[in-house]
Amino acid sequence: MRQTITSDALPPPHRNQALQAFQALTALHARHTRHAPWPYARLDVPALRAAGHRPYPIRQFVLKTRSRCNLACTYCYVYEMADQGWRGQPAVMAPATTARAAERIAEHAAAHGLAHVDLVLHGGEPLLTSPARLAEPVDAVRAAVARSSPCTRVTATVQTNGTLLTRGRLAALAAAGIRVGVSLDGGLPAHNARRVDRAGRPGFAAATRGLRLLSRHPDSYAGVLCVVDLAQDPVETYESLLGYAPPALGLLLPLAHHSSPPPGRSPGRTPYADWLLAVFERWWHDGERRTRIRIFEEVIALLLGLPAATETLGLAPATTAVIETDGSIEQADSLKSAYEGAAATGMTLDAHSFDQLLEHPGLAARQLGREALAAGCRSCELVEVCGGGHYPHRYLAGEGFRQPSVYCADLKVLIRHVAAALGAATARPPARPGPPPTSGTAPSTSGTAPSASGTVPAASRTGPAASRTAAVPPPAAPGAATARSAADPRPAVTRPGPFPVPAALPPPPPAADPRQAAAS
């Protein structure tokens, strides 16, 4: 990640700036290698490229339009965890920075012939922007992409705490085709005790007022993100959120790692799996599909051999870049939970392209699939589904990101339970006659479980297959399909066939009411 800076021909002021930039990069490199030897001291990216491992282009761009927030949630990874870089960021992304971001994104889309790029307006709280200016970053990117890469489709979402949603803001977002995702940890005040402002006042009333407005605009409603809280009843949390009619729920494990373990963790127990499985049982056995739950759908998809649409499970490469308000290019925000500067790359929109980001060891490691994992993970029978877990959850101070997930035991219990449920559903004959299921999908069991093909359509997923090595693709599994566009210059990658469910997996431990297990 070292970058060469020559300053012999520069006048003194510019020479001083170049020297300062070099010193900053040197300090950043030292910090990365001290905190995370894997990948920063142990991954040789030039050798990786020489061996034939090609990078995957960036497809999702997170624009930090605001670096400050009107809430002060006590568990926020941006403000309350290891990295405090937000303090040095401008409060607002300047128009010139927005324009430069649009140019760089269009440049990248054109260079790689991308059919689609996804924008996420993020913060801080992006809705601190006035309604009249909310869509400006998206409009700028769409205009730049239309000029440079007219075949590229641009989709956009804003992720908000919901407290500033108004009819005016929703109208402006809808007019620009920007969908809205809201962060809320349950549908009752008690579920959101950690979501407060800087004076300690709860944000729940304002957030739910915004959510009710959003629920009247289903075309704009992307869904709700909820961080798992062991102190709350899982089924109550789930069913209370259904009152806001979310089209999708993201149930997120708290950002934690081996040097800062999650609350409630203890040897021999899997409290996070218990919590999630209580929700899964209610969702899976519901008579109708009232919402999508991403973590369950992703596990089902991966069990069926479909590619994942998330970086938190499976072996798909990371293809996300973050642009801070000052124009710096960073890795995923979630890394800020590990150490100060963990997401930093030392790159900026003015001086670097997104192709240069692809050569950064932090991102290159996250595109290696199985080869980036700990030895025990590589040999695990669940690796195609688990994928080693979410990258920040693998961190250990002084070692880096090559440990099993801090949630390893929970993920094993969760995946095996879902595999058993999926196996039982596919083994039963349909409740009434109907057309046979299409190949590679689980048949729907009327009144018993949501159809796997209905919740995880293959056509909606992008990205390569689950597994790959640094230089040589693995041999195809019997019956597996080779997935590669004719125009794609990268080596062919194989998609695994359907996961053997449940015969290849030990059965889950006998469970009583999963709600009792979660509460124990």
Side-chain angles (χ1 to χ4, degrees), residues 445-490:
T445 307
S446 178
T448 303
S451 164
S453 60
T455 58
V456 283
S460 71
R461 299 178 179 279
T462 59
S467 63
R468 61 192 55 79
T469 66
V472 183
T482 298
R484 181 166 60 111
S485 162
D488 189 347
R490 297 172 302 195

Side-chain angles (χ1 to χ4, degrees), residues 48-259:
L48 199 65
R49 301 292 179 245
H53 190 281
R54 301 287 299 278
Y56 296 90
I58 303 299
R59 298 176 185 273
Q60 183 181 70
F61 300 88
V62 179
L63 302 179
K64 295 284 198 154
T65 57
R66 292 273 176 163
S67 67
R68 305 300 193 264
C69 188
N70 61 324
L71 293 186
C73 302
T74 59
Y75 60 92
C76 181
Y77 60 83
V78 174
Y79 304 109
E80 302 297 333
M81 291 194 178
D83 190 299
Q84 292 293 298
W86 65 273
R87 296 180 184 275
Q89 288 290 337
V92 183
M93 182 177 284
T97 304
T98 301
R100 190 64 176 132
E103 292 168 1
R104 287 295 194 189
I105 292 169
E107 170 189 76
H108 195 70
H112 295 276
L114 299 181
H116 169 248
V117 296
D118 183 45
L119 304 180
V120 181
L121 304 184
H122 211 276
E125 174 46 58
L127 295 191
L128 286 167
T129 304
S130 66
R133 304 193 64 180
L134 272 175
E136 287 181 357
V138 176
D139 291 342
V141 172
R142 284 179 174 150
V145 168
R147 291 190 298 270
S148 301
S149 185
C151 294
T152 302
R153 183 169 63 98
V154 178
T155 57
T157 308
V158 61
Q159 188 63 36
T160 171
N161 60 38
T163 60
L164 299 177
L165 280 172
T166 61
R167 289 182 178 86
R169 286 188 170 91
L170 282 171
L173 293 166
I178 302 171
R179 302 180 74 215
V180 182
V182 175
S183 299
L184 194 73
D185 291 341
L188 299 175
H191 301 151
N192 292 275
R194 299 177 297 173
R195 301 185 66 80
V196 296
D197 67 15
R198 299 200 179 278
R201 296 170 298 201
F204 178 76
T208 54
R209 187 164 53 246
L211 258 182
R212 290 189 187 97
L213 284 173
L214 179 58
S215 66
R216 298 172 195 162
H217 299 79
D219 291 343
S220 297
Y221 198 173
V224 172
L225 293 181
C226 169
V227 177
V228 170
D229 183 354
L230 297 182
Q232 305 301 328
D233 179 85
V235 173
E236 178 187 74
T237 300
Y238 165 60
E239 295 194 334
S240 66
L241 285 170
L242 290 177
Y244 301 99
L249 280 179
L251 299 178
L252 309 179
L253 293 170
L255 277 172
H257 48 75
H258 295 280
S259 297

Side-chain angles (χ1 to χ4, degrees), residues 181-506:
V182 175
S183 299
L184 194 73
D185 291 341
L188 299 175
H191 301 151
N192 292 275
R194 299 177 297 173
R195 301 185 66 80
V196 296
D197 67 15
R198 299 200 179 278
R201 296 170 298 201
F204 178 76
T208 54
R209 187 164 53 246
L211 258 182
R212 290 189 187 97
L213 284 173
L214 179 58
S215 66
R216 298 172 195 162
H217 299 79
D219 291 343
S220 297
Y221 198 173
V224 172
L225 293 181
C226 169
V227 177
V228 170
D229 183 354
L230 297 182
Q232 305 301 328
D233 179 85
V235 173
E236 178 187 74
T237 300
Y238 165 60
E239 295 194 334
S240 66
L241 285 170
L242 290 177
Y244 301 99
L249 280 179
L251 299 178
L252 309 179
L253 293 170
L255 277 172
H257 48 75
H258 295 280
S259 297
S260 180
R265 182 186 180 221
S266 61
R269 298 184 66 231
T270 55
Y272 290 91
D274 297 339
W275 199 101
L276 289 168
L277 287 175
V279 178
F280 175 80
E281 286 296 303
R282 182 59 59 93
W283 176 77
W284 183 252
H285 294 291
D286 202 337
E288 60 178 331
R289 192 187 74 178
R290 293 188 282 173
T291 190
R292 301 174 58 193
I293 300 183
R294 291 170 184 159
I295 188 170
F296 303 150
E297 290 187 356
E298 292 301 328
V299 170
I300 291 167
L302 289 160
L303 287 167
L304 293 173
L306 300 172
T310 177
E311 293 179 9
T312 58
L313 291 168
L315 293 166
T319 56
T320 297
V322 176
I323 303 169
E324 288 285 355
T325 54
D326 67 350
S328 57
I329 299 171
E330 295 203 341
Q331 303 175 75
D333 259 7
S334 54
L335 292 172
K336 294 178 186 290
S337 61
Y339 58 89
E340 182 72 47
T345 64
M347 299 183 185
T348 67
L349 292 171
D350 285 338
H352 302 89
S353 69
F354 287 110
D355 273 14
Q356 287 172 283
L357 175 65
L358 298 179
E359 303 306 311
H360 186 275
L363 186 64
R366 299 183 72 188
Q367 295 194 342
L368 279 177
R370 187 192 300 258
E371 294 307 303
L373 304 182
C377 294
R378 294 196 297 272
S379 62
C380 178
E381 63 182 351
L382 302 181
V383 66
E384 301 285 352
V385 181
C386 169
H390 195 20
Y391 193 77
H393 296 164
R394 307 175 201 169
Y395 178 68
L396 175 64
E399 290 293 330
F401 297 92
R402 213 175 192 182
Q403 284 64 235
S405 168
V406 74
Y407 293 105
C408 177
D410 296 273
L411 291 171
K412 286 180 176 179
V413 169
L414 173 67
I415 293 167
R416 286 178 170 138
H417 188 102
V418 173
L422 182 61
T426 56
R428 286 194 295 269
R432 55 178 180 267
T438 57
S439 175
T441 63
S444 172
T445 307
S446 178
T448 303
S451 164
S453 60
T455 58
V456 283
S460 71
R461 299 178 179 279
T462 59
S467 63
R468 61 192 55 79
T469 66
V472 183
T482 298
R484 181 166 60 111
S485 162
D488 189 347
R490 297 172 302 195
V493 185
T494 58
R495 284 183 179 163
F499 198 91
V501 184
L505 299 178

